[in-house]
Amino acid sequence: MAIYRQPPPPSRSGRSLVVRILGWSALVLAVLVSGTAGGAYLYLHETVAAVAPRSVEVKRALESLKVALPGQPATALVIGYDRRKADGANAPSRSDTLMLVRADPDEKSISLLSFPRDLRVEVRCPGEAPYVDKINSAYATCGPRGTVETVRNLTGVPINYIITVNFRGFRQLVDKVGGIWMDIDRRYFNDRGGSCTGCYAKINLQPGYQRLTGLRALDFVRFRHTDSDVYRNARQQLFVRSFKDQIEASFSLLKLPQVIKVITSNVEVGQGGGEDVSPKTVLRYAALAYSLPPGHIFQSRIDGLEGFSDLVTAPENIDKAVREFKNPDVESPRKATAVALGEKLKQKVPPPRATSVLVLNGNGVEGSASTASYLLGQRGYRMLTPAAGLTANAPTYDYFRTEIYFDARKAGAQPAARKLANLFGSADVKKLTPKIRALGNNAMVVAVTGQTFHGRLASAPVDQTPKRQPASVVAGTSAVVDLLRQHRREIDFPLMVPTKIARSSWIADDTPIRVYPIDPDKEHKAVRLTYEHGYNEFWGVEMTDWEDPPVLGGRNFVRKIGGRTYELYYNGPRLHMVVLKTDGASYWVVNTLLDRLSNETMIAIAKSLRPLAKVKQT
């Protein structure tokens, strides 16, 4: 018999692990990891065993997965599936959500990449000829294995883990944790639904920050009655962030047994190599998630999607999203803030777009220089070509190692050359020689490909620093001042008027203002202003005397602007929310689902907030 004392829980709660590791569909590992705090540790081993692959289909899919190496980035494919009564008793399940999740211990980051279920791709079913269809048909036709093959063929990303989640567990899980707090961007209403094939589900949600039950949360993340899967993915990613906030703020260990029961009944987790995921592996990812700096969950999006029920995009848009997914720019929120506020950003190394590069062939392999130029251009470098009459060839073809020459007369050239050398892997950094300078066309850096260059570059973050642009705002006082005055007697805290609003925006036709009790005990009230921006895009202003709602956790930066202090919340380089706090009240400007408003526009709207009592009558 051994008597021992359970180690005390860490000062920072491990509960924040839930979505930090695997996104909303991979709640299993998150909850398991959160079990490292206090008595929840007792559930770890038995729960890990309970989510081991049970179905034949999932076990077969594991055969094609890559084994994750300790200390190296690992990627999981999350498949959220369901089966509806309207489809019939023998109908196959459908993948309603497909998401890649990448954990990088070196960068201390988690990356998410969602795929619209209606995205047309080449479907790869084992033993069958490839065919083009919606990406979710891979699961319905050939199960998890076909989904793995299809996603891997589309992205080229090695997959180490597979996680399947039955949607019936989604509702149960949200209810077991006491509901989920979410910021709803607009009014969602459809009273003509049913169980027929092709019918849209009924939904009735008001705009504003609120707590949703499992059913209402499921309605929200699956809605696509008046928009497309592009917005549907954005709603699912919003759920990821909201669930993280919820777990950090109010999760109780008393609820853990019920939560684990839901998870083990609806989730399967497998890894490359076929062995069951071990508690040691879970704890390793726990350590990573626990140490994540604020804002180090990055969400990549596939741009350029066209269509409605069938979505298509150019291959280069897929490639771009995958590059961002594999190499997130962890400094993008900091750089984006500096750009938007006109701050001087201390950068020892010039960004790729400020680095001019010319590549010369030094190994004699045909196309070597053009291949390297293309790859560097894809990384955002400003590529140059030789001056008129000159070819992109080095003085000789006997270079064994790639050599990176920098122009010492140009500021930042030497660190830029070192950064470039890291991309080539086996490369030397040298000062520009007269012979190379004569061919360099005034480039900051000249790269001469050697025999060690084999047509590939090492992984590196994709610079996502946005370019500075003027705030796109117009006068907006008249849009809401009368509405606010109609309700000011219902509110005990000062109301704010956005005197500037985003250009091409106006107060929404459906539920432009909402006054409602916001907290569980109805001790606090909130006011939501909803603005429509162009077609099907909505942004808003939330006001409440609830000073510490879950959504205000995890800010990125605090800045003092014009005598007032603002808190900034980012999605990668995109400013999603700007918060202003006063004595007894909080006010936040929240971007559209797709973060369409520029960072400068978001800040300008927040700066324009003025007390209703000080705004002149219109």
Side-chain angles (χ1 to χ4, degrees):
M1 176 181 294
I3 301 176
Y4 64 95
R5 181 183 299 274
Q6 176 70 22
S11 58
R12 177 183 171 186
S13 173
R15 302 173 308 194
S16 61
L17 271 284
V18 175
V19 292
R20 286 193 180 184
I21 295 179
L22 296 173
W24 72 265
S25 292
L27 296 171
V28 53
L29 289 186
V31 173
L32 297 180
V33 168
S34 67
T36 60
Y41 179 81
L42 300 176
Y43 292 95
L44 183 60
H45 286 73
E46 62 179 282
T47 308
V48 170
V51 297
R54 301 178 295 274
S55 63
V56 174
E57 293 82 1
V58 173
K59 290 180 179 179
R60 287 176 178 171
L62 303 184
E63 298 173 2
S64 61
L65 301 185
K66 298 290 184 181
V67 176
L69 300 177
Q72 298 297 312
T75 300
L77 175 62
V78 179
I79 305 173
Y81 66 92
D82 72 342
R83 181 183 288 110
R84 300 174 186 174
K85 293 181 180 180
D87 297 334
N90 298 320
S93 299
R94 299 179 294 185
S95 61
D96 211 59
T97 295
L98 281 178
M99 181 187 296
L100 284 176
V101 185
R102 184 177 187 271
D104 189 334
D106 288 336
E107 293 290 351
K108 294 189 182 297
S109 66
I110 301 294
S111 303
L112 309 176
L113 175 58
S114 297
F115 301 95
R117 52 175 283 173
D118 292 337
L119 179 66
R120 293 189 67 81
V121 300
E122 186 179 79
V123 176
R124 295 291 188 99
C125 285
E128 299 181 15
Y131 63 94
V132 175
D133 202 344
K134 297 180 180 181
I135 194 170
N136 71 327
S137 71
Y139 188 85
T141 304
C142 40
R145 188 177 177 187
T147 303
V148 170
E149 297 291 347
T150 298
V151 172
R152 185 164 50 210
N153 177 67
L154 176 67
T155 64
V157 175
I159 298 172
N160 309 109
Y161 298 91
I162 183 172
I163 300 158
T164 63
V165 183
N166 191 329
F167 263 106
R168 70 185 180 188
F170 178 96
R171 288 175 51 183
Q172 297 172 5
L173 183 63
V174 172
D175 288 335
K176 293 301 183 185
V177 299
I180 179 70
W181 286 94
M182 298 191 69
D183 194 296
I184 308 302
D185 60 316
R186 64 179 177 93
R187 178 74 191 283
Y188 289 87
F189 181 74
N190 175 40
D191 62 350
R192 298 182 180 181
S195 59
C196 61
T197 301
C199 287
Y200 293 107
K202 293 183 179 181
I203 188 172
N204 185 10
L205 282 179
Q206 298 287 341
Y209 188 65
Q210 57 198 282
R211 185 168 60 176
L212 302 182
T213 63
L215 177 60
R216 289 164 68 82
L218 185 60
D219 287 343
F220 177 70
V221 300
R222 298 179 70 172
F223 178 87
R224 61 173 186 165
H225 177 43
T226 58
D227 54 30
S228 70
D229 267 343
V230 176
Y231 298 92
R232 183 188 180 105
N233 280 358
R235 283 187 284 270
Q236 292 174 354
Q237 292 181 342
L238 175 62
F239 180 87
V240 172
R241 299 192 300 270
S242 300
F243 200 90
K244 174 182 70 68
D245 296 337
Q246 174 82 6
I247 295 300
E248 288 179 339
S250 60
F251 185 74
S252 169
L253 291 178
L254 296 177
K255 301 176 182 177
L256 194 60
Q258 299 176 25
V259 170
I260 287 178
K261 183 177 180 180
V262 172
I263 290 173
T264 55
S265 300
N266 296 283
V267 175
E268 293 181 70
V269 180
Q271 65 177 344
E275 295 183 1
D276 292 347
V277 178
S278 68
K280 182 178 179 180
T281 298
V282 173
L283 293 175
R284 187 170 71 242
Y285 287 117
L288 168 63
Y290 188 83
S291 62
L292 284 183
H296 271 226
I297 298 177
F298 296 91
Q299 299 169 331
S300 301
R301 294 173 181 165
I302 299 173
D303 295 326
L305 292 166
E306 298 178 353
F308 190 77
S309 60
D310 286 353
L311 297 176
V312 295
T313 190
E316 52 264 31
N317 291 327
I318 301 289
D319 294 341
K320 177 176 178 292
V322 171
R323 287 197 306 273
E324 293 176 357
F325 168 75
K326 294 172 62 178
N327 304 287
D329 185 359
V330 296
E331 292 294 312
S332 60
R334 182 179 67 88
K335 293 184 291 186
T337 298
V339 169
L341 297 178
E343 300 173 345
K344 287 186 177 181
L345 188 63
K346 295 181 180 180
Q347 286 187 319
K348 296 181 179 180
V349 182
R353 67 169 181 268
T355 304
S356 59
V357 182
L358 186 143
V359 181
L360 300 176
N361 188 331
N363 58 23
V365 178
E366 185 177 354
S368 177
S370 60
T371 297
S373 294
Y374 172 78
L375 294 175
L376 291 173
Q378 291 294 301
R379 300 292 179 89
Y381 284 92
R382 186 161 61 89
M383 304 309 298
L384 302 180
T385 55
L390 299 177
T391 61
N393 293 324
T396 66
Y397 286 147
D398 60 357
Y399 285 78
F400 176 72
R401 289 170 59 85
T402 296
E403 296 189 357
I404 311 296
Y405 295 90
F406 64 91
D407 188 343
R409 301 174 303 181
K410 299 181 183 296
Q414 186 172 6
R418 291 198 188 102
K419 181 177 180 180
L420 206 64
N422 290 334
L423 294 180
F424 282 93
S426 180
D428 298 321
V429 176
K430 300 180 178 180
K431 282 187 179 181
L432 204 60
T433 65
K435 287 185 178 180
I436 300 298
R437 184 187 298 276
L439 301 170
N441 199 12
N442 200 35
M444 177 186 290
V445 178
V446 177
V448 180
T449 59
Q451 296 176 30
T452 55
F453 175 66
H454 300 292
R456 296 185 299 272
L457 296 179
S459 298
V462 178
D463 186 12
Q464 294 183 268
T465 309
K467 294 182 179 179
R468 182 171 174 79
Q469 53 185 302
S472 181
V473 293
V474 296
T477 302
S478 62
V480 295
V481 67
D482 290 337
L483 287 173
L484 289 171
R485 284 182 174 140
Q486 292 173 18
H487 295 277
R488 60 183 170 185
R489 293 184 179 178
E490 304 172 40
I491 302 299
D492 295 330
F493 60 90
L495 295 176
M496 290 281 191
V497 180
T499 59
K500 299 289 184 182
I501 61 175
R503 190 179 300 274
S504 301
S505 295
W506 198 249
I507 198 70
D509 292 330
D510 191 346
T511 319
I513 186 171
R514 181 186 177 206
V515 179
Y516 63 103
I518 188 173
D519 64 317
D521 299 322
K522 298 184 178 181
E523 295 180 356
H524 303 286
K525 283 191 175 182
V527 175
R528 178 58 167 241
L529 299 176
T530 302
Y531 294 84
E532 186 165 7
H533 181 66
Y535 174 72
N536 222 29
E537 296 275 354
F538 297 83
W539 61 274
V541 178
E542 185 85 6
M543 317 178 201
T544 178
D545 57 348
W546 188 14
E547 297 184 57
D548 57 348
V551 72
L552 299 188
R555 69 192 180 200
N556 290 88
F557 307 107
V558 177
R559 289 292 188 272
K560 195 164 187 177
I561 309 171
R564 295 199 298 195
T565 300
Y566 298 89
E567 298 177 359
L568 309 179
Y569 297 71
Y570 279 88
N571 286 333
R574 306 177 184 94
L575 185 54
H576 183 69
M577 195 165 68
V578 183
V579 178
L580 171 67
K581 291 184 178 180
T582 63
D583 292 337
S586 300
Y587 310 83
W588 61 85
V589 180
V590 60
N591 212 328
T592 69
L593 278 173
L594 300 179
D595 294 319
R596 297 291 196 194
L597 304 188
S598 70
N599 298 348
E600 291 83 0
T601 298
M602 287 286 293
I603 292 172
I605 295 172
K607 287 171 57 180
S608 79
L609 293 174
R610 295 291 179 269
L612 177 62
K614 296 183 179 180
V615 174
K616 294 182 180 180
Q617 181 73 39
T618 59

